[in-house]
Amino acid sequence: MRRTLGVCYYPEHWPEELWAEDARRMAETGLTWVRIGEFAWSRIEPEPDQLDWGWLDRAIETLGAAGLKVVLGTPTATPPRWMLNRHPDMLALDSEGRPRKFGSRRHYCFSHAGYLEECRRIVTELAHRYGRNPYVAAWQADNEYGCHDTVISYSDAARRAFRDWLRAQFPAVNGNGGDIGALNRAWGNVFWSMDYADFDDIDLPNLTVTEPNPAHSLAFRRFSSAQVVRFNRAQADIIRAHSDAPIAHNYMGRVTEFDHFDLGADLDIASWDSYPLGFLEDRVGASDADQRHFARQGDPDFQAFHHDLYRAVGRGRWWIMEQQPGPVNWAPYNPAPLPGMVRLWTWEAFAHGAEAVCYFRWRQAPFAQEQMHAGLLRPDSAEAPGLAEARQVAGELADAPGVDPEQAPVALIFDYDADWAWKVQPHGKGLSYFSLVFDHYRALRRAGLSVDILPPSARDFSGYRAVFAPGLIHMAADLKRALAESGAEIVIGPRSGARDRNFSIPVPLPPSLPGLDVTVSRVESLRPDMPVPVEGGGTVTGYREELAGSADTVFADYSGAPVAVRQGRLTYMGGWGDAELLDRLVVGIGLRSQLPILQLPLGVRVRDTAIERFWFNHNSCPVETPAGRLPAAGVLRVPR
């Protein structure tokens, strides 16, 4: 499949006489895809049940006549103001019981039955009208589920739906209703006299005097994720009934409040919205020194991590639906990209197997919330700097091979359920599952390794020389067996297998991995000023486990207490290693499994495809590499 470029466009924002000129310029730039419609409900249906399709018909015709392919978004992320008159209780409520009001976007509760029916209605109308349109070549369901903390709602609709969901999770033996006794036992509700007599007694886990039962909180997060999956499935099913074009959703960076693997099972393509500079300031968690060093380039690993994650979510098919082309408007600081970085980000996505990279947006809006968000054009239609780099990539693609991914030598398991468990019980300030997994991913990338991210449902690890699965608080028994019997080098811990499905500490004590004689006998979280130095270099920070058993010590602190142990091909990390310790871990595993370890300069990364090796320089100055001198923001493609 060939690599393509695209752009996000809002014809409803611009005079209609401008559309044909815009389409012509898009095609001349070398763009293939144009995403439209995802925020246009008030223009499609300006009044209840009064549909205006004329403008959208003409916009699609204009773009298609210029040789462009349309990605048509369903407009359900932005219900119009009149919708609140029909459904005043459709708004989500935050944990303090306050409504998430109209005036921006994503102002709906996933559990509200009336709003779901309105969405089914408008998506049916949209799919019926455009499902066989030759210019509509792909669909996008909604927009950025979960963005702005909009998955979890404490509304009355959510309360009722949560109770019904719990009844299904704890069914009665006779099949009539739920078994409240089973829930009480599973959650340990004998503690603090929290037993329930009926499912209708169960409230949402907010506004309690102190922390709610962690089993209750985890169940509510699982329910909330299931509501997003249900909402999305309703749209996908309708579109498929009217269209053969593939369906995507545009996920966001470090949004983990719903299970993207579960949602992606109902879609054809996973896409995500890549904003390297905004994310560096807003959600990477980089040090002050790294934020300064990479301020105009973005973190060297954050985008790559999500490329690999969404390749897994899309079962091999993934896009970037929104690529940052210039300064954004929403981060604490919003610098402009270093010249060359838009090109680098685009090629980095292609190196990780992207089918398409679409820039956000075509023209910068002169009004409303995103007026400071750059596009490929300025508000006056003059070219912004990103357009030249997009045009350059389009020219380079003409002679480039198609998408040619291959299985990486290393796998890293990512589990959304584990992220929720860490959020419910981090056990220490600032500790998070995402950060733990990302730290391991960084170490693998610093060693020059390409990585596949796998879901927790994976059981076949054939072809991988090493598999890393840190922090999986709950590990299914068959996953443990599959890892132990895989023949790969396996690294788990810390906190792996630390809880059962309902958040109780299991007995035998964790990690209880077949073939690994180690028991976590005690755990502690550490203040930032309490690192534990490790013999040979590196420290344990944030979280430490006391290990017992006969497994061989790999790393130890200066008292001789084990920090990491190994038995056969199974390694358990009993603490959160800093960068130096994780680098030592990765190099050691690489030597054991004959992985091709590299020593890369700061900010330089590589990615292998079936036929090429890509070198990327995320620095503002040239760097010498084993492949030669890389210019600032440079990209080098080397045949393998």
Side-chain angles (χ1 to χ4, degrees):
M1 185 175 295
R2 74 185 187 94
R3 298 159 167 151
T4 52
L5 299 176
V7 74
C8 304
Y9 186 53
Y10 300 90
E12 68 272 25
H13 293 178
W14 310 108
E16 189 166 343
E17 56 267 22
L18 198 58
W19 295 354
E21 174 66 10
D22 282 340
R24 180 190 64 79
R25 294 177 72 180
M26 291 174 192
E28 288 180 352
T29 299
L31 306 182
T32 298
W33 299 94
V34 184
R35 185 193 66 172
I36 66 173
E38 78 276 12
F39 298 135
W41 197 334
S42 68
R43 287 296 182 265
I44 293 171
E45 191 174 16
E47 298 179 28
D49 304 313
Q50 300 297 313
L51 298 169
D52 179 5
W53 298 112
W55 72 270
L56 188 53
D57 291 347
R58 295 190 297 275
I60 292 173
E61 176 66 28
T62 298
L63 295 168
L68 299 163
K69 298 179 180 180
V70 171
V71 180
L72 186 55
T74 67
T76 53
T78 52
R81 178 60 184 84
W82 57 256
M83 188 68 71
L84 280 176
N85 297 330
R86 277 189 171 180
H87 305 285
D89 59 346
M90 63 171 279
L91 298 175
L93 302 183
D94 70 10
S95 61
E96 300 297 319
R98 299 169 299 198
R100 311 292 302 276
K101 297 192 299 182
F102 181 86
S104 59
R105 63 182 188 177
R106 303 216 54 78
H107 45 281
Y108 66 83
C109 174
F110 283 103
S111 297
H112 193 275
Y115 183 62
L116 178 59
E117 287 308 308
E118 298 281 6
C119 292
R120 286 193 174 109
R121 176 183 61 81
I122 195 65
V123 173
T124 299
E125 295 279 3
L126 199 70
H128 177 75
R129 189 171 189 90
Y130 300 111
R132 302 299 172 187
N133 187 299
Y135 300 139
V136 176
W139 295 81
Q140 176 186 293
D142 204 270
N143 185 81
E144 295 179 348
Y145 292 135
C147 195
H148 321 301
D149 299 317
T150 51
V151 166
I152 296 176
S153 169
Y154 296 91
S155 67
D156 288 340
R159 180 182 296 105
R160 292 190 296 270
F162 181 49
R163 291 167 175 168
D164 290 341
W165 183 86
L166 288 172
R167 288 186 178 94
Q169 298 301 303
F170 295 94
V173 174
N174 61 12
N176 296 320
D179 185 343
I180 195 65
L183 179 146
N184 284 324
R185 291 187 295 274
W187 287 10
N189 282 336
V190 65
F191 193 80
W192 286 353
S193 294
M194 294 183 294
D195 296 281
Y196 297 105
D198 190 274
F199 284 91
D200 286 337
D201 293 337
I202 301 174
D203 211 330
L204 302 182
N206 67 317
L207 299 176
T208 53
V209 174
T210 184
E211 65 182 287
N213 187 334
H216 187 175
S217 295
L218 181 59
F220 184 58
R221 286 181 175 270
R222 288 173 176 160
F223 155 79
S224 298
S225 175
Q227 295 299 92
V228 183
V229 173
R230 165 178 165 266
F231 183 91
N232 180 77
R233 182 177 297 143
Q235 298 199 25
D237 288 347
I238 291 168
I239 293 169
R240 284 212 171 85
H242 296 86
S243 175
D244 298 323
I247 308 170
H249 175 72
N250 57 328
Y251 305 94
M252 276 289 280
R254 200 166 182 164
V255 169
T256 56
E257 286 75 19
F258 67 97
D259 192 318
H260 297 32
F261 292 113
D262 284 352
L263 189 135
D266 293 317
L267 301 174
D268 304 294
I269 298 169
S271 73
W272 81 287
D273 296 348
S274 174
Y275 292 96
L277 304 190
F279 290 151
L280 178 68
E281 296 284 352
D282 187 59
R283 60 192 70 182
V284 169
S287 67
D288 289 342
D290 280 350
Q291 285 186 320
R292 286 193 299 272
H293 185 85
F294 297 111
R296 297 189 184 277
Q297 304 97 276
D299 184 85
D301 301 304
F302 193 78
Q303 285 67 244
F305 177 87
H306 288 86
H307 298 341
D308 291 335
L309 174 63
Y310 292 122
R311 188 175 70 253
V313 169
R315 302 174 301 284
R317 294 199 66 185
W318 76 277
W319 294 15
I320 290 194
M321 196 64 81
E322 299 181 18
Q323 177 60 64
Q324 177 178 356
V328 298
N329 64 295
W330 43 264
Y333 306 99
N334 298 287
L338 190 74
M341 285 309 301
V342 174
R343 173 177 175 262
L344 184 150
W345 295 329
T346 305
W347 273 112
E348 183 180 48
F350 288 139
H352 286 257
E355 297 175 11
V357 174
C358 302
Y359 302 101
F360 185 90
R361 50 189 281 167
W362 176 243
R363 183 185 292 103
Q364 181 178 347
F367 44 71
Q369 284 92 329
E370 293 180 352
Q371 62 184 254
M372 298 301 293
H373 194 305
L376 294 179
L377 299 184
R378 301 183 327 203
D380 63 357
S381 295
E383 293 190 8
L387 184 65
E389 294 188 35
R391 186 183 294 118
Q392 180 182 356
V393 174
E396 293 166 341
L397 286 175
D399 299 321
V403 178
D404 48 14
E406 67 171 359
Q407 180 173 315
V410 180
L412 177 66
I413 294 177
F414 186 82
D415 181 11
Y416 289 91
D417 195 87
D419 187 80
W420 308 332
W422 279 75
K423 283 187 170 74
V424 168
Q425 192 181 77
H427 196 56
K429 183 178 179 180
L431 301 182
S432 80
Y433 172 76
F434 183 96
S435 295
L436 178 69
V437 176
F438 187 47
D439 281 356
H440 283 73
Y441 183 83
R442 285 178 180 275
L444 292 166
R445 293 256 295 168
R446 286 194 297 267
L449 296 170
S450 296
V451 181
D452 285 344
I453 293 180
L454 302 180
S457 60
R459 298 295 182 269
D460 181 3
F461 303 105
S462 57
Y464 291 109
R465 301 187 199 179
V467 180
F468 288 72
L472 295 177
I473 287 189
H474 170 65
M475 296 184 73
D478 60 340
L479 173 59
K480 292 181 179 181
R481 286 194 301 272
L483 289 169
E485 298 169 1
S486 69
E489 290 287 331
I490 304 298
V491 179
I492 66 170
R495 292 195 92 177
S496 293
R499 299 291 183 274
D500 68 11
R501 176 73 180 167
N502 289 298
F503 223 101
S504 291
I505 298 173
V507 177
L509 292 177
S512 189
L513 191 70
L516 180 63
D517 181 22
V518 62
T519 296
V520 176
S521 57
R522 187 175 69 175
V523 303
E524 60 176 341
S525 57
L526 305 173
R527 292 170 49 91
D529 56 1
M530 293 175 60
V532 178
V534 175
E535 289 184 355
T539 63
V540 170
T541 63
Y543 189 83
R544 171 77 187 275
E545 298 172 338
E546 187 175 290
L547 306 180
S550 63
D552 296 332
T553 297
V554 179
F555 301 135
D557 66 19
Y558 280 92
S559 75
V563 170
V565 297
R566 178 178 296 132
Q567 196 163 354
R569 291 180 175 271
L570 307 176
T571 299
Y572 187 87
M573 277 288 289
W576 191 316
D578 67 357
E580 183 178 359
L581 187 57
L582 288 178
D583 286 344
R584 290 180 61 198
L585 174 68
V586 167
V587 169
I589 293 295
L591 291 174
R592 289 176 58 84
S593 56
Q594 298 182 319
L595 288 168
I597 301 295
L598 296 174
Q599 289 186 334
L600 296 176
L602 173 70
V604 173
R605 297 291 186 265
V606 299
R607 172 70 192 182
D608 291 332
T609 72
I611 60 174
E612 295 177 293
R613 166 164 283 185
F614 286 79
W615 291 79
F616 298 100
N617 179 15
H618 295 262
N619 291 291
S620 58
C621 59
V623 176
E624 294 294 338
T625 75
R629 184 176 177 84
L630 273 178
V635 179
L636 180 63
R637 295 162 47 206
V638 181
R640 293 181 66 192

